[in-house]
Amino acid sequence: MKAKFLPVLGIALAGFLFSAAGSAEAVEVDIRFSKYLTKVMPRINVVERQREEYFRRYRLTRRHTRGLSFARWPAVQWANEVLIPDLNDFSVEALTRGFVTASLERAGVDGVERIAIVLDLLRVEDHPVAIISGRNSVATGTITAYDAAGKVIGTADVTASLITNFIAAPRYNGTDFAFPDTSRRLRVGPTLANFVYKGLGKIFPGREFARTVLITY
């Protein structure tokens, strides 16, 4: 599955400063899923899109959960909305591409033509799609970066468990990927963002990539 994901130009949201002057050329992001994930991905995408629509309308991660007041959280730019403004474009694949391209942009990484991701395992605690629901939220796989000549810049085997202390206050307006704290057990976004963060960090040590930030109530 290959697609071009163009960097967003001229938007300053949550500290992600994308400008025509500062944007690198488009990075191709090639995502492949393991056999079991390939089979279940259509169902995951349906559920994630439904929950994303519900969140954007009501600021709830699911029915009967605590809501986020639009007035109380005016400064928070939620990662899913920043990276995929049009709900019709929302999918696990598109969100992962967004994490990659925004992370490279934020860290000022140049010279990358293609990123290849192989996602072998995805578990999200209490996810409604039973096959990926598990005791812990974790993603495993590989991330490989290539230059324009097709030469490998670096590759990383990644096992990324969502164990984070980066829980921010309601008025968070930093440069990391912001999610409501309840989504850590219900949505794929926080776990996938953490997977990308750890993988790119191994390939490009010393660079500051965007982390998963969970916004408290």
Side-chain angles (χ1 to χ4, degrees), residues 109-131:
V109 176
D110 296 318
V112 178
E113 177 72 12
R114 183 168 72 96
I115 295 289
I117 295 177
V118 178
L119 193 62
D120 296 319
L121 172 73
L122 178 62
R123 291 282 186 271
V124 178
E125 186 180 347
D126 202 26
H127 197 278
V129 178
I131 197 170

Side-chain angles (χ1 to χ4, degrees), residues 103-206:
S103 294
L104 293 173
E105 184 94 13
R106 177 191 189 273
V109 176
D110 296 318
V112 178
E113 177 72 12
R114 183 168 72 96
I115 295 289
I117 295 177
V118 178
L119 193 62
D120 296 319
L121 172 73
L122 178 62
R123 291 282 186 271
V124 178
E125 186 180 347
D126 202 26
H127 197 278
V129 178
I131 197 170
I132 69 165
S133 181
R135 182 174 298 177
N136 300 305
S137 294
V138 60
T140 66
T142 60
I143 299 179
T144 306
Y146 298 86
D147 64 16
K151 182 179 179 181
V152 174
I153 297 172
T155 187
D157 293 322
V158 186
T159 297
S161 297
L162 187 60
I163 301 173
T164 176
N165 294 321
F166 297 97
I167 299 179
R171 291 189 176 274
Y172 175 80
N173 63 350
T175 63
D176 293 304
F177 295 125
F179 305 90
D181 67 343
T182 52
S183 70
R184 67 190 305 173
R185 296 183 175 89
L186 302 170
R187 303 287 305 276
V188 301
T191 299
L192 288 175
N194 189 48
F195 172 79
V196 171
Y197 165 74
K198 290 199 171 182
L200 293 180
K202 287 185 175 182
I203 297 172
F204 303 101

